[in-house]
Amino acid sequence: MRTESNIKPTKFIIEHIKNEKVIVSFFDNIQEQEDMFYYDMYKMILNNRPNLAEDIENNYDTWLQFAKDLEYEKLAKEVRLKRDELLNETDWTQVTDTVLSLVKQEEYKVYRQQLRDITKQEGFPYKVSFPLEPSKYGNMNNNKGG
């Protein structure tokens, strides 16, 4: 996640939470502009253990990549869940006895394909644009001419 602060971050910090758990925050791509720092931040929750900070320091690139992968998978899952919900909400538009016209059915068919193609967008899952759902209203009769 892209973040900004007026304080320059270190490579990582460990924050103690409850029940022997810690949040490890990693900071990457740190850039300074006009007394502000812009960077990518990745967080993960771990069990605390002796020498955790030393282990992260000695294997920083591996830990950072692991945190990046976790964030990617979390965001991708969230986008897919939203996409799947939108698909489920429009399943009715593709059944043979729908009240939608053929034109509206086709609009929904295109919309639903755009939803399925969300994962192919450049920047997925960080920057995703969901398509707009077609209007359900308009020519609602089921004539063959649309």
Side-chain angles (χ1 to χ4, degrees):
M1 171 181 10
R2 196 73 180 155
T3 308
E4 63 183 59
S5 174
N6 61 348
I7 301 170
K8 184 176 182 176
T10 59
K11 290 183 357 180
F12 69 94
I13 59 170
I14 299 175
E15 302 170 75
H16 294 272
I17 51 178
K18 58 183 179 175
N19 300 331
E20 299 298 316
K21 299 280 186 185
V22 295
I23 297 174
V24 181
S25 300
F26 296 88
F27 308 99
D28 193 33
N29 298 322
I30 301 168
Q31 300 170 344
E32 183 177 8
Q33 261 183 321
E34 301 175 12
D35 298 325
M36 289 295 291
F37 295 92
Y38 301 88
Y39 48 89
D40 297 325
M41 181 171 60
Y42 306 93
K43 291 186 175 195
M44 56 194 293
I45 297 175
L46 298 171
N47 291 321
N48 196 12
R49 59 182 169 81
N51 304 320
L52 178 60
E54 183 180 326
D55 184 24
I56 293 172
E57 184 68 44
N58 292 336
N59 301 290
Y60 179 77
D61 291 337
T62 302
W63 279 99
L64 175 62
Q65 187 59 53
F66 184 64
K68 286 180 179 182
D69 292 346
L70 281 177
E71 180 175 287
Y72 178 92
E73 290 304 321
K74 178 182 176 254
L75 292 174
K77 182 178 180 181
E78 289 171 4
V79 170
R80 287 184 183 108
L81 284 172
K82 182 177 178 180
R83 181 227 24 221
D84 292 349
E85 182 180 307
L86 293 170
L87 284 168
N88 288 337
E89 289 173 1
T90 59
D91 279 349
W92 67 273
T93 67
Q94 301 305 299
V95 295
T96 56
D97 62 347
T98 183
V99 296
L100 293 177
S101 69
L102 293 177
V103 170
K104 284 292 176 191
Q105 261 189 304
E106 186 60 30
E107 287 176 9
Y108 270 97
K109 187 175 182 178
V110 169
Y111 167 71
R112 290 167 54 82
Q113 187 59 53
Q114 290 170 338
L115 287 172
R116 287 186 201 93
D117 292 341
I118 286 260
T119 59
K120 297 175 185 176
Q121 287 183 11
E122 186 176 329
F124 173 85
Y126 305 103
K127 295 178 185 175
V128 174
S129 296
F130 280 86
L132 294 177
E133 181 178 353
S135 169
K136 295 178 186 88
Y137 307 104
N139 188 357
M140 295 291 280
N141 64 16
N142 216 1
N143 65 36
K144 298 296 179 200

